[in-house]
């Protein structure tokens, strides 16, 4: 009799443990909307516009795109189109699931990345600093103006920043990920930047556009030029332009 009770009790305990593991796993794979992470810095300005829908079945195979991906640092004066901007932003951080997940994986659904871009020469877009809103695939003009020279100086004079039609800027709010994972969260944010920037690199290759990832820049200077919230850390810059 005692044995039977012990057996039933053990099964019960096992079920509770399994339930706990399941709920933890589910929680880890859900975008984090907790109060702590509500500060999303994703503000829409008066000049917000909807981007054209991205193409989701392009002509170039993944294998060919991987073979063609190369850092390219020399661009022509031909402007980029709004369709190309739409495609590049979507490749890096576009929403691809009903639950809000994106083209790049995100640790525990914490979504630490914020994408900005500095327009120099794009059809139908004023020169200025913009933010991408992945949730509805729209963009907002944060500040109008010509910033390519300043940005080039902040990037140690690397001329492709000046010559590019657009410079994509990857920012991250560490707190979103470190509040869940502690110190290890920093590593996860760097991992995530790698995923998102590689997506953009591959998308540029498949559109026959040139790009390169830039890590050599003065953090303070770039952050001063962009003048964003201090909690947004700039982790990568990608100039993009047409190539010959
Ligand atoms: C973390 C990181 C930082 C980089 N920073 C720069 C940079 O500041 N300027 C630059 O011209 N290239 C930069 N690159 C690009 C490398 O120079 C380039 O990937 C390398 O020469 C290999 O060429 P590939 O990309 O065509 O394979 C960086 C690459 C990585 C991964």
């Amino acid at each position: 009799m005692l044995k039977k009770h012990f057996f039933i009790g053990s099964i019960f305990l096992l079920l509770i443990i399994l339930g706990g593991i399941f709920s933890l796993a589910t929680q880890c794979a859900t975008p984090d909307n907790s109060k702590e992470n509500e500060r999303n810095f994703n503000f829409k300005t008066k000049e917000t516009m909807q981007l054209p829908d991205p193409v989701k079945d392009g002509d170039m195979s993944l294998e060919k795109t991987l073979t063609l991906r190369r850092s390219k640092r020399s661009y022509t004066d031909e402007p980029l189109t709004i369709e190309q901007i739409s495609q590049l932003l979507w490749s890096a951080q576009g929403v691809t699931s009903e639950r809000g997940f994106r083209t790049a994986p995100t640790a525990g659904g914490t979504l630490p990345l914020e994408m900005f871009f500095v327009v120099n020469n794009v059809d139908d877009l004023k020169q200025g600093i913009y933010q991408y809103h992945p949730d509805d695939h729209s963009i907002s003009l944060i500040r109008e103006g010509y910033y390519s020279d300043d940005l080039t100086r902040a990037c140690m004079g690397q001329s492709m920043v000046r010559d590019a039609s657009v410079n994509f800027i990857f920012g991250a709010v560490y707190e979103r990920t470190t509040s869940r994972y502690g110190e290890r969260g920093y590593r996860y944010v760097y991992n995530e930047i790698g995923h998102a920037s590689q997506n953009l690199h591959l998308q540029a290759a498949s559109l026959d556009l040139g790009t390169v990832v830039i890590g050599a820049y003065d953090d303070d200077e770039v952050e001063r030029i962009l003048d964003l919230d201090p909690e947004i850390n700039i982790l990568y810059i990608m100039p993009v332009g047409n190539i010959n």
Side-chain angles (χ1 to χ4, degrees), residues 69-71 73 158 160 201 212-217 236:
R69 187 214 62 81
R70 196 87 286 137
S71 295
R73 301 175 177 83
Q158 300 190 69
M160 58 280 201
H201 221 315
V212 57
V213 287
I214 294 197
Y217 54 84
Y236 241 168

